Amino acid sequence: MKNSTIKAMPRRQWLAAAAVLALTGFERTALAQATTVQVWKDPNCGCCQLWVEHLQASGFKVEVRDVGNTSARKRLGMPEVLGSCHTATVSGYVIEGHVPAADIQRLLKERPVALGLSVPGMPIGSPGMDGPEYKGRKDAYDVLLVQKDGSSKSFQHYPGLRRMAKREGLQRVSGDTTTLPWATAEVRRIDKAAGKVALKHGEIKNLDMPPMSMVFQVKEPAQLDTLQVGQKVRFQAVQDKGAYWVVKIEAAAL
Ligand SMILES: [Cu+2]
């Protein structure tokens, strides 16, 4: 009878859902292994590499393009304001920044209509930004579900492990740079055409960023003219539009 066919549908769907839930961790990993993630990143980005390793540990196959992510992000339609240090694609979705593998797996399971996921900036405690140098610190952040028109909403919230009050007054965006503290660094790579510099830097107090190797956009690339790889420098940096910017950089006093 027609009626029983209609009634049987939800049950069949329920059984299919139950079958997915019944998969063991090993089987889920095997499913993920069939999935390839393509990642565009800068070769000097340490936290990007750690994120790649996080994906691999979660069972994804990862193909890395060490050519930077700015043009890939633009081509793939991920808004710059939601930008981070690396851009990826997986099964027709765009993944920007330090998105946890679990959220990518959920995205691929639920397959919502969307451009993809983004974790703008580089929140400490997100996968790849969770090394020993952060001493277990976890800041609150959202994984955003991003639509093709650039709109976004929270896909998953991570509450973080400590109160944010202490971080009030941090100068994260550009503004008055005269009061910015100086940080020290060694120049690792200079890309004047792209307006970028890779720095192995000490603590950046106003960004609450511990010592690490990072690629920065440079507000005034002419400042790179006199610098050389291996040189000790001092610099001031801000966070703006999902990227880290050097607003001033110069040779460190000897
Ligand atoms: Cu990063």
Side-chain angles (χ1 to χ4, degrees):
M1 279 192 50
K2 244 186 195 169
N3 213 10
S4 67
T5 316
I6 291 164
K7 266 185 187 166
M9 280 296 288
R11 177 169 164 77
R12 222 179 290 142
Q13 283 169 4
W14 182 87
L15 283 174
V20 171
L21 289 173
L23 288 177
T24 63
F26 176 78
E27 285 165 330
R28 277 200 208 108
T29 303
L31 273 181
Q33 255 161 7
T35 311
T36 300
V37 183
Q38 294 194 325
V39 180
W40 287 263
K41 70 172 190 65
D42 190 283
N44 292 290
C45 178
C47 57
C48 301
Q49 180 56 35
L50 291 176
W51 182 73
V52 165
E53 289 167 16
H54 161 73
L55 291 190
Q56 290 168 331
S58 305
F60 285 103
K61 186 167 178 266
V62 184
E63 288 174 10
V64 172
R65 311 277 150 89
D66 270 328
V67 293
N69 70 323
T70 314
S71 61
R73 181 169 64 211
K74 198 169 186 180
R75 177 171 56 78
L76 294 165
M78 180 59 71
E80 191 182 286
V81 289
L82 301 178
S84 180
C85 50
H86 50 262
T87 304
T89 57
V90 59
S91 302
Y93 287 108
V94 183
I95 309 292
E96 178 77 16
H98 292 265
V99 177
D103 294 308
I104 299 175
Q105 280 157 350
R106 185 185 141 206
L107 179 81
L108 298 183
K109 200 162 104 187
E110 297 180 359
R111 293 213 68 90
V113 174
L115 177 69
L117 299 176
S118 169
V119 172
M122 302 192 352
I124 289 177
S126 59
M129 290 295 293
D130 52 358
E133 66 268 42
Y134 303 110
K135 300 184 174 78
R137 182 178 138 193
K138 287 187 187 299
D139 292 344
Y141 68 96
D142 280 288
V143 176
L144 301 177
L145 185 69
V146 183
Q147 296 300 329
K148 290 198 168 115
D149 66 2
S151 64
S152 64
K153 63 172 187 182
S154 179
F155 183 71
Q156 181 68 51
H157 177 70
Y158 291 89
L161 281 182
R162 70 169 206 183
R163 297 194 149 267
M164 303 293 281
K166 209 180 150 195
R167 301 174 57 210
E168 267 175 31
L170 292 178
Q171 209 163 345
R172 289 198 161 263
V173 295
S174 39
D176 177 16
T177 60
T178 55
T179 58
L180 284 174
W182 291 92
T184 58
E186 184 184 307
V187 177
R188 280 300 169 86
R189 196 169 62 91
I190 297 169
D191 186 346
K192 209 196 153 194
K196 291 199 284 191
V197 63
L199 299 174
K200 183 177 191 292
H201 63 78
E203 186 184 7
I204 306 176
K205 288 208 170 71
N206 58 306
L207 298 179
D208 209 6
M209 188 189 285
M212 63 194 285
S213 287
M214 265 284 297
V215 180
F216 294 84
Q217 305 280 331
V218 182
K219 292 269 185 198
E220 295 168 31
Q223 292 184 359
L224 299 175
D225 285 347
T226 58
L227 300 181
Q228 288 168 3
V229 171
Q231 190 174 4
K232 303 267 192 258
V233 293
R234 64 173 199 159
F235 68 104
Q236 296 171 313
V238 294
Q239 186 180 20
D240 192 13
K241 289 180 185 160
Y244 291 102
W245 294 84
V246 165
V247 291
K248 205 164 186 188
I249 185 166
E250 59 191 34
L254 289 173

